[in-house]
Amino acid sequence: MIKKQMTNILLSAALCILTASVLTGCAANGKNNASGVQESPSASQGQAENPAAGNTAAADTGNTADGKSPSGTGASSDNNSSAGTSPAASSSSDGTEASLEGQEGGADTKVIESQTFSGVSLGGYENVQFTTREITENGRTRVEYSLVLDGDAVYTFPDAYDYWLFASEVNFIAFRDVNGDGQKDVITSEQYITGAGEGGAVPFSMTRIYLNQGSEFLFAEGLSVSIGNSLDASRPEEYTIENILAILEEPVYCNFGSGGWTRGEIESFAFLVKNDVLNDNRKALSQKINYPLNLVRNGEQLLISSPEEFLASYNDILNLQVIYDVEGSETEDLFWNQDGVMLGTGAIWFGKMQDGSIKIYAIPAEVQYCNPLDVD
């Protein structure tokens, strides 16, 4: 038994060294930014130059702050999607405005025209209207975002912060590439009240970050709250797109004095990986791997050379040890060292590759996880 364990350890160490050369590497001799003795599977560092900070969101912030409508220029970023334009009630001849206001299933709805934009292209939706509505139902008010085409909502964004009441004020809406994948994401900020207790009517601000996945937009709640907590929620004037982007562009990972990996790109990637694992999005996860992927499972070496091979061996690669660890992981303020970033207690390691993309480079099997029922 001891001999088999020693064999597994030696195989794991040898395979992990092979993966190190593909990372950009932070520094040859930097310190960890967190306490503990956890080490990444990679034992050496790459020699590629660190990416410049702030390359994950558009530099042109436009006129989107403090509740002002984005101009055509301000809403554009660094891809070919059309920009949002300042709305006008008369700009739509298809009855869009009328069909989205009034009574709807017992709820009172009102389009917030100053935060509704025509000619928007996001993900797989071309030349749609980004519509913001205030909805009051059963004495509770919320804000709803949707993409509208020819008067019909073709996509409705996931709700958020439904435990609070929308205070009828949107600080800003902006379309920016948060994680450097070339797709415009959606960043919003609104004001809320708790509606209960002393100070229950005092408004405070929060931020939403919706990550563009083509046909859907995922609400990255942990990242949104983390970014929002970096500002003073009682001061809505702080909740501007400029301030939010500045936080997202902070090079807080692998920041050994020569740039770093930004908060937006790293924590967005961690959120998407966790989402893929927990929702069994196998194909999406297979696209986030740096190939070839070297693994040891049950004492045997596996070399996964393509997404097809990853999918064929998925149940062995994403075993219960890995899934449990990812399930309990946080996706903000992650542990990192000079080799990469760790998700969970070591289930998954990822980092920037030499081409600038972020990929998973190691999925160790031997991780610590809570399994009180001793489920196999």
Side-chain angles (χ1 to χ4, degrees), residues 5 52 125 127 137 166 241 262 281-282 328 332 334 348 369:
Q5 290 177 341
Y125 303 95
N127 197 29
E137 185 175 17
F166 176 54
I241 184 59
T262 70
N281 296 332
R282 301 186 176 199
E332 301 78 44
L334 300 167
I348 291 176
Y369 65 93

Side-chain angles (χ1 to χ4, degrees), residues 53-71:
N55 64 347
T56 62
D60 179 13
T61 58
N63 190 27
T64 59
D66 303 324
K68 297 178 182 178
S69 301
S71 65

Side-chain angles (χ1 to χ4, degrees), residues 18 60 171 272 296 301 327 353 358:
L18 293 176
D60 179 13
N171 296 325
L272 293 174
V296 174
Q301 176 180 338
E327 183 178 22
M353 303 295 110
I358 301 175

Side-chain angles (χ1 to χ4, degrees), residues 23-26 33 50-57 177-181 185 209 211 220 222-224 226-227 245 247-255 259-275 288 329-344 348-353 356-361:
L23 291 172
T24 59
C26 300
N33 77 329
N50 281 321
N55 64 347
T56 62
D177 182 3
V178 170
N179 53 3
D181 64 357
D185 306 298
I209 297 174
L211 297 178
L223 178 60
S224 299
S226 175
I227 296 298
L245 289 178
I247 297 170
L248 287 169
E249 293 171 355
E250 288 179 322
V252 297
Y253 293 95
C254 292
N255 56 354
W261 303 348
T262 70
R263 189 172 179 180
E265 60 189 353
I266 293 298
E267 295 185 4
S268 293
F269 186 84
F271 166 79
L272 293 174
V273 168
K274 183 174 181 177
N275 181 77
K288 296 179 174 68
S329 68
E330 300 292 336
T331 57
E332 301 78 44
D333 299 321
L334 300 167
F335 177 93
W336 58 267
N337 60 25
Q338 64 270 23
D339 299 315
V341 182
M342 181 179 77
L343 184 61
I348 291 176
W349 285 84
F350 65 92
K352 271 199 170 182
M353 303 295 110
S357 64
I358 301 175
K359 298 287 186 181
I360 295 169
Y361 67 86

Side-chain angles (χ1 to χ4, degrees), residues 71-151:
S71 65
T73 302
S76 67
S77 65
D78 50 358
N79 60 24
N80 295 324
S81 298
S82 299
T85 56
S86 298
S90 60
S91 64
S92 176
S93 60
D94 57 10
T96 298
E97 299 293 341
S99 66
L100 296 173
E101 287 192 321
Q103 289 286 329
E104 180 180 298
D108 291 323
T109 66
K110 179 180 70 174
V111 173
I112 303 178
E113 296 180 2
S114 63
Q115 300 295 341
T116 295
F117 313 103
S118 301
V120 173
S121 291
L122 291 169
Y125 303 95
E126 297 290 333
N127 197 29
V128 295
Q129 178 175 276
F130 186 96
T131 301
T132 303
R133 296 197 300 170
E134 180 179 327
I135 300 176
T136 302
E137 185 175 17
N138 298 325
R140 297 185 63 84
T141 302
R142 61 185 175 88
V143 64
E144 179 186 87
Y145 301 115
S146 60
L147 302 178
V148 176
L149 181 64
D150 295 331

Side-chain angles (χ1 to χ4, degrees), residues 277-316:
V277 171
L278 298 188
N279 290 286
D280 203 30
N281 296 332
R282 301 186 176 199
K283 185 175 181 181
L285 187 63
S286 72
Q287 302 300 317
K288 296 179 174 68
I289 306 295
N290 182 68
Y291 297 102
L293 178 67
N294 294 283
L295 303 166
V296 174
R297 291 294 187 270
N298 301 318
E300 296 184 3
Q301 176 180 338
L302 296 178
L303 180 65
I304 309 299
S305 300
S306 67
E308 292 75 20
E309 291 184 11
F310 180 87
L311 294 173
S313 300
Y314 188 90
N315 291 333
D316 290 327

